Amino acid sequence: MTAVQFGELPFLEEDGEVYSCAYSPDGKSLTLGLDNGDIKVYSTSTWEHVRTLNGHNEKVWSIAYAPNGDQIISGSNDSTAMLWDVEAGTCLYTLTGHGGEVNGVAFAPCGGSVASASDDSTVRVWDVGTGECRQILIGHRGIVISVAYSPRGHLIASGGWSDYTVRLWNVQTGERLHILSDHTGFIYGVTFSPRGDRVVSSSGDKTLRMWDVDNGTCSRVLTGHTNGVRNVAFSPQGDVIASSSDDKTVRIWDAETGACCQILPGHTRFVRCVVFSPEGDRIACGSADKTVRVWDVGSGGARQIASGHSKEVLSVKYSPHGDQIASSSSDGSIRLWDVETGECRRILTGHENGVRSIAYSPRGDFVVSSSDDCTVKLWDVETGTCRQTFTGHDWRIYTAYSPQGDHIASGDSDGSVRVWDIGTGECRRTLTNHTDVVNSIVYSPKGNQIASGSYDGTIRLWDVESGVCLHTLSGHNGWVTSAAYSSRGDLLASASDDSTVRLWDVEAGECRYIFIGHTKAVGIVVYSPQGGQVASGGYDGQVKLWDDGTGECIHTLAGHTEGVTSVVFSSSGDQIVSGSYDKTVRLWNVTSGQCQAVIQDFDSSIRSIAWSTSPDINYFVTGCEDGSVRMWKVAEGGGVCHVRVHWRPVNGELNLTETSIQDVHGLSQLNKQLLKQRGAVGTPLHADNLRDVSKQVLSMVSVVSNLKQPLTGETLEPPVSNLDNENRNSRNSRNSQLNRKLIRARHRHHLRY
């Protein structure tokens, strides 16, 4: 039983593909349109099949309920729309007249008319009482795929599959008011906001666009889906938007900012339709994989993501004020985390490949990201929207933010460095001289100089204002992997895969010292915040501390058994934390060179570490190959250094093997169905006399009792680090108390946080 998502409800499995779905106005029924022409009605409390409406002889593209819930309108591939009596299950009228497939249908808010969109390039308005066609709206060039009424019923929006446009119509006169034409692909879906002031459209160009109804202008573009966006729906409250896509996911968006709040996976083929329940607490989505999945979003899961990245974390950074953490991943996303609570505040999506590096602006209001999709993007931290996309690179890119915050620099595979204007998005200048990939780039503390390190074995120092190359620092016999300025900006340290670190005089452009001691390539070099010391991490598993005044090795910090991937000084400069491919993090005392703590709680290698920018707070954050981001607190007492996990986001899924729910108390009917669908065996007991039982899920041979609600990430409380005895004893005591409240189950399991 794998990947049970928290917030997931049991799914419905049909014999054919699901083309459309709709909730009844009272939320008690969910109705599906299928590829064989059937319309199936299910009870949302038990998921039992209530009735089937037979009449169409081909796939049902679209269905909609009347406002009072007593009627359903359906549109089909058979070129007809049908009006149904829900209670009797009978067809009241067959609406004929379209010269092609009926792709979209909608009920007017008053319930007296319906609209239909067709392959014949028209939208038709029908009288519900007589079944007669009142009006034909003509203007689209080719197939019309979707249609929607405004909340007041005075406007109709239609989406053109062939002409890539959304059109707004006056219902009373049939007059075309606006043509919304910014999409570059098929229009699949259209919907009005509950207030009627906005229209959102979904397209084959992988985007959603939000339009102002009054003036017809595009106010926002929602990007993140990696394939065409099939359908879109506003929540009844109007605060969030749901979209379904050919990328097999449903995404939840903040309607105000356009930021992606949640990604709902699970389907194995494209997702055709998505709808909110009338209360807005659930989402149903139908897919070509022949299933309908229902998600509980009422617990706040759509606002606070309780999961980490789906692929390795490549970079983590603290904001300048220390109140936020940014992480980037091979999954193509950037996540913004609240330092205090560990909640994911924003998911920044738009890159089409892994995000290799990120950096905050000096004020912390923007984040810049560079990706393997050959683009650099500038993100607004407050809204989560992409402000600029910088294009022109042709391979892997590394970026840096200027200390003044007015421009960024990026290095390219062609050996060039580009300097970009933040305000205009234009390239100010291109710095060329390297003969191979630029894979390290850093600004001097004053921002007047850029140092770029290259596979060509050189570091080049550039004047930012003029673009002139001031010095070419030659001497390394291998790739330059990392570079760092001293706090005063007069010295520059560089690391290379020739196993050395070099210290350069920036003014003279000369090598002052060669630090020799590593036996394998050196992957990273960092300067102490106070200056005077340089730390390097090598693939020989060693961290070395160097004196920049004498060139001597002060300490060799040995303990890692594989290559060191990350090294960072504390904000005070008296401690170093290092991460390695050996799946451990080590904390070192700079003065003594002693290892103060070893964290071995990781399931994969550590890819990036950042120390808090606040001098009063002793925290650091780790990003790992398994996609996890964790924040750690460092505390000293009684001469002993303790490291405890401060927070760790919870992956929203449960992975179990040989699972039995035999005799488990308090398992709700919905959760029983979900677990049975995922392979659990046995019969649970009824929850007759159970009281409140803790819902914490622990990694032990037990299952959670009294799961009265659908599985949600809210039930998980991550365990603290077990690095010190006091903390371990406290946790074991708590586990023992909780274990008495849990029913033992006969299975082995692994819970992945």
Side-chain angles (χ1 to χ4, degrees), residues 431 433-434 442 444 448-453 458-464 466-473 483 485 489-493 504-510:
L431 314 177
N433 264 341
H434 284 296
V442 60
S444 64
N448 62 329
Q449 197 177 86
I450 292 172
S452 57
T458 70
I459 304 99
R460 294 180 186 266
L461 304 184
W462 309 88
D463 182 87
V464 171
S466 66
V468 172
C469 180
L470 303 173
H471 296 292
T472 299
L473 311 180
Y485 276 97
D490 58 334
L491 297 174
L492 180 79
W504 308 87
D505 184 302
V506 169
E507 184 67 28
E510 297 176 350

Side-chain angles (χ1 to χ4, degrees), residues 328-620:
S328 68
S329 168
S330 292
D331 64 13
S333 73
I334 301 105
R335 291 177 184 248
L336 304 181
W337 309 88
D338 184 280
V339 164
E340 186 59 34
T341 65
E343 294 172 359
C344 182
R345 295 298 191 184
R346 291 277 183 267
I347 302 178
L348 313 181
T349 57
H351 284 298
E352 297 181 357
N353 212 322
V355 181
R356 194 152 294 276
S357 68
I358 49 176
Y360 275 95
S361 64
R363 293 191 304 173
D365 50 348
F366 294 103
V367 167
V368 66
S369 59
S370 60
S371 168
D372 290 351
D373 66 6
C374 304
T375 68
V376 177
K377 289 181 180 286
L378 182 70
W379 307 88
D380 187 304
V381 167
E382 183 64 29
T383 65
T385 57
C386 180
R387 287 289 192 89
Q388 299 280 1
T389 298
F390 309 102
T391 60
H393 290 292
D394 60 6
W395 198 55
R396 184 175 294 174
I397 315 162
Y398 294 86
T399 55
Y401 227 115
S402 70
Q404 290 78 21
D406 58 342
H407 52 84
I408 59 174
S410 56
D412 198 350
S413 61
D414 63 5
S416 67
V417 174
R418 296 172 191 242
V419 181
W420 306 89
D421 187 286
I422 293 298
T424 65
E426 296 178 354
C427 181
R428 284 187 179 181
R429 57 184 53 88
T430 301
L431 314 177
T432 58
N433 264 341
H434 284 296
T435 59
D436 209 334
V437 175
V438 176
N439 73 323
S440 178
I441 191 161
V442 60
Y443 276 91
S444 64
K446 293 181 180 179
N448 62 329
Q449 197 177 86
I450 292 172
S452 57
S454 170
Y455 284 3
D456 65 11
T458 70
I459 304 99
R460 294 180 186 266
L461 304 184
W462 309 88
D463 182 87
V464 171
E465 189 62 32
S466 66
V468 172
C469 180
L470 303 173
H471 296 292
T472 299
L473 311 180
S474 302
H476 282 298
N477 295 317
W479 294 353
V480 176
T481 56
S482 179
Y485 276 97
S486 64
S487 56
R488 293 190 301 174
D490 58 334
L491 297 174
L492 180 79
S494 61
S496 170
D497 67 356
D498 66 4
S499 306
T500 71
V501 174
R502 287 180 178 248
L503 190 67
W504 308 87
D505 184 302
V506 169
E507 184 67 28
E510 297 176 350
C511 181
R512 182 173 291 187
Y513 295 113
I514 303 175
F515 300 149
I516 299 174
H518 286 288
T519 59
K520 291 184 180 180
V522 185
I524 187 166
V525 63
V526 292
Y527 238 106
S528 167
Q530 288 72 33
Q533 294 176 329
V534 174
S536 58
Y539 285 91
D540 55 8
Q542 294 182 345
V543 176
K544 288 184 178 286
L545 194 62
W546 310 88
D547 187 306
D548 72 354
T550 65
E552 295 181 355
C553 180
I554 304 170
H555 296 296
T556 295
L557 313 179
H560 287 298
T561 58
E562 294 186 45
V564 176
T565 58
S566 187
V567 177
V568 63
F569 277 93
S570 65
S571 52
S572 62
D574 57 359
Q575 289 174 309
I576 286 174
V577 64
S578 59
S580 169
Y581 286 117
D582 67 6
K583 305 178 185 178
T584 70
V585 167
R586 289 179 176 260
L587 182 70
W588 311 88
N589 182 283
V590 168
T591 303
S592 67
Q594 295 296 310
C595 182
Q596 295 180 295
V598 182
I599 308 175
Q600 304 182 75
D601 289 6
F602 302 98
D603 295 324
S604 64
S605 62
I606 288 77
R607 302 308 301 267
S608 183
I609 301 177
W611 201 291
S612 172
T613 51
S614 173
D616 302 324
I617 303 176
N618 237 8
Y619 293 99
F620 64 87

